[in-house]
């Protein structure tokens, strides 16, 4: 959702830095873009609905020179998608420009007050309030940073905010509450953005603002204070991602690149955390003592979207290995349901971005109620990573495609590692078993590699079904969440309606939909429910449904019933979902590609959902 970029520093031309930064944030999802640069005593600004290239066309030859600049990609919440409503927004005199991520909840009250004082608004966005509020206080205090702090004290809601002003043209003011902001510290230059991807090519050094902090940056350096103007010490973090990781590297799309990266991303999640010869798992940052973990009586795992489906698989793994009751909750539901939690409870937040608002608030709720908290998270230094007691980073590298793929498989691996660690700690598995579990994990990257060689074959299958309007995905046990995830992937990127169901539930409703126009994707690997799944397949066949099956190599029976079979290698039940999901990612991908959909940036979706 919305992306912000700001620049102040030594460069002669800052427009290309801002535009490139916006492009790096495109993956977050947006509907319009804009830029403002202070140059020779003037603010030069353009904004435009549509893609960033539309903005570039409007700007024409670019903006040459400039001292400081801000830019924005907007994902509309308040006010329609129009050029006017795009950011930057201005005060009455066009002297102050702001870009804002987040939502100002009390905007209507503030707007009324400001209008009574004579402020004239040009848009119907909540964000424009900020420019006028800062203008109001600037008149009183004649200090941009102070005026910003005073304005923010009046605001209820969330903000990642950049402010520039003609009255202080050598300054960039940055603020955060609830909406992430990273400040890249380069050599005599600073690049500010909603996440680290626009910063990577200039510097690896970043600071992350915390809630209600304001940074004032000029050519000499930066200073961070809270809203009361007390100094804040900030840790400078070193990014371990490099810029090539955030580029397509010859693939047509980020999504395809990320699907193909999975042998490596899976390895990166377990690398350094397994000691195969001892059958041990080790973590660097759990920050929960073994004694405390031994006292855990209940585990709640919570997330949104694809991460939620990874949690359902985590539940299966952790409960299976540890026998500790484990539940999975949608973060958005958990936070409003009056959860029953106590000190014996471990709460695990699972998130790629570490910024999903509902997951963050669910975590805070669990913490307030006394649970110990862990984060399973990809983005280092993200809000959730910083608020949990301890955690496990995925180390899957930047995931740019809006539809999550490699983060999903890494989330399963991280939960598997945690499950083994905890089970061993409380004596539910012995060394012989942990050695076997680790051995099976080590085999995964090669098995995934083998499945990826089927991409062209899956593309042919996609061609047969791309015009169907509905799909059903069926699986059982820990492949039921994979049915949900397979259906989600398809609807996200190809806009085809798809539903995931536990296979046996088909008889209780979905079977009514089955005819020759309904492809049914079965996950039918050789596990303890294989025979049952085969019976479900017969039921579909009897009603002329079309069957696409994901089955184990060597299964000849299935080819007699299914119209198409995708054969994958075998692994243990606990890890099977990591292999069964890969063909479904590829199937969704190829269908969407054939339908010429924008798979990396599907309509209406955002990578990082920072509103409720
Ligand atoms: C959005 C994305 C999904 C993602 C979900 C949760 O809906 O489009 O791909 O699974 O948010 O995001 P998180 O960053 O918390 O994993």
């Amino acid at each position: 959702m919305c992306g912000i970029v700001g620049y102040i520093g030594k460069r002669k031309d800052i427009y290309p830095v801002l535009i490139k930064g916006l492009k790096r944030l495109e993956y977050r999802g947006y509907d319009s873009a804009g830029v403002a640069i202070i140059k020779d005593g003037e603010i030069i600004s353009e904004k435009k609905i549509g893609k960033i290239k539309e903005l570039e066309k409007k700007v024409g030859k670019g903006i040459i020179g400039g001292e400081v600049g801000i830019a924005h990609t907007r994902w509309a919440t308040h006010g329609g998608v129009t050029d006017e409503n795009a950011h930057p927004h201005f005060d009455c005199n066009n002297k102050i420009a702001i870009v804002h991520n987040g939502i100002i909840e009390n905007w209507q009250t503030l707007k009324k007050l400001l209008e009574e004082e004579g402020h004239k608004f040009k848009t119907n966005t909540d964000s424009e309030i900020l420019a006028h509020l800062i203008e109001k206080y600037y008149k009183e205090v004649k200090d941009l940073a102070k005026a910003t702090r005073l304005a923010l004290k009046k605001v209820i809601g969330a903000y990642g905010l950049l402010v520039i002003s003609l009255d202080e043209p050598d300054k960039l003011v940055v603020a955060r509450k609830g909406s992430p902001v990273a400040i890249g510290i380069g050599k005599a230059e600073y690049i500010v953005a909603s996440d680290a991807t626009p910063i990577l090519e200039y510097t690896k050094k970043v600071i992350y603002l915390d809630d209600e902090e304001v940074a004032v940056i000029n050519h000499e350096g930066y200073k961070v204070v809270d809203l009361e103007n007390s100094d804040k010490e900030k840790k400078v973090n070193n990014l371990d991602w490099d810029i090539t990781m955030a580029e397509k590297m010859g693939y047509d799309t980020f999504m395809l690149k990320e699907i193909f990266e999975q042998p490596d991303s899976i390895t990166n999640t377990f690398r350094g955390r397994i000691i195969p010869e001892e059958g041990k798992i080790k973590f660097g940052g759990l920050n929960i003592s073994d004694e405390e973990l031994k006292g855990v009586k209940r585990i709640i795992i919570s997330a949104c979207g694809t991460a939620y489906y990874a949690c359902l698989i985590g539940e299966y793994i952790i409960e299976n290995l540890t026998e500790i009751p484990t539940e999975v909750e949608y973060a958005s539901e958990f936070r409003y349901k009056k959860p029953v939690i106590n000190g014996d409870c471990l709460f695990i937040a699972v998130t790629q971005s570490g910024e999903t608002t509902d997951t963050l608030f669910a975590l805070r709720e669990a913490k307030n109620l006394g649970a110990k908290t862990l984060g399973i998270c990809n983005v280092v230094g993200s809000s959730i990573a910083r608020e949990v007691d301890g955690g496990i980073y995925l180390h899957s590298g930047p995931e740019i495609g809006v539809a999550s793929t490699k983060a999903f498989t890494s989330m399963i691996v991280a939960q598997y590692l945690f499950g083994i660690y905890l089970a061993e700690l409380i004596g539910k598995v012995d060394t012989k078993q942990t050695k076997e579990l680790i051995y099976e994990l080590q085999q995964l990257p090669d098995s995934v590699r083998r499945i990826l060689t089927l991409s062209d074959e899956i593309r042919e299958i996609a061609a047969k079904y791309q015009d169907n309007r509905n799909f059903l995905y069926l699986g059982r046990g820990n492949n039921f969440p994979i049915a949900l995830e397979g259906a989600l992937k398809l609807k996200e990127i190809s806009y085809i309606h798809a539903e995931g169901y536990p296979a046996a539930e088909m008889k209780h409703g979905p079977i009514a939909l089955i005819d020759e126009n309904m492809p049914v994707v079965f996950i039918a690997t050789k596990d303890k429910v294989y025979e049952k799944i085969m019976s479900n397949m017969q039921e579909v066949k009897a009603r002329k449904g079309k069957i696409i099956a994901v089955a184990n190599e060597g299964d000849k029976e299935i080819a007699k019933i299914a119209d198409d079979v995708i054969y994958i290698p075998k692994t243990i039940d606990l890890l099977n979902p990591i292999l069964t999901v890969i063909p479904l990612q590829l199937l969704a991908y190829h269908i969407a590609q054939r339908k010429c959909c924008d798979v990396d940036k599907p309509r209406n979706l955002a990578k990082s959902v920072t509103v409720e």
Side-chain angles (χ1 to χ4, degrees), residues 304-307 350-354 356 359 402-404 411 492 606-607 609:
C304 304
T306 286
V350 179
T351 168
Q352 188 286 127
S353 63
T356 304
T359 311
V402 165
S404 182
M411 284 167 182
E492 278 182 309
K607 180 73 182 157
V609 179

Side-chain angles (χ1 to χ4, degrees), residues 434-480:
T434 56
K435 280 186 181 170
E436 275 166 21
L437 291 164
I438 292 172
Y439 172 82
E440 293 295 340
L441 179 63
Q442 288 175 295
Q443 310 314 304
L444 278 186
D446 273 342
S447 301
V448 173
R449 241 172 243 122
R450 262 165 59 198
I451 300 172
L452 292 171
T453 63
L454 305 176
S455 183
D456 287 343
E457 195 181 300
I458 296 173
R459 193 177 152 74
E460 295 308 313
I461 298 175
K464 286 167 68 177
Y465 298 97
Q466 68 181 73
D467 295 324
N468 284 89
R469 293 307 308 143
N470 298 288
F471 273 68
L472 196 58
Y473 284 70
L474 300 176
R476 293 186 75 150
N478 60 353
N479 275 318
F480 161 52

Side-chain angles (χ1 to χ4, degrees), residues 545-580:
K546 296 276 179 292
I547 295 174
I548 305 164
V550 175
N552 281 132
E553 289 165 346
D555 182 349
K556 297 211 174 68
E557 275 311 294
I558 215 154
K560 295 180 191 156
I561 314 175
D563 296 84
D564 292 281
V565 187
I566 305 166
Y567 286 109
I568 64 167
K570 201 161 169 23
T571 178
I572 53 171
D573 276 9
L574 287 185
L575 290 174
N576 201 20
I578 294 182
L579 299 187
T580 52

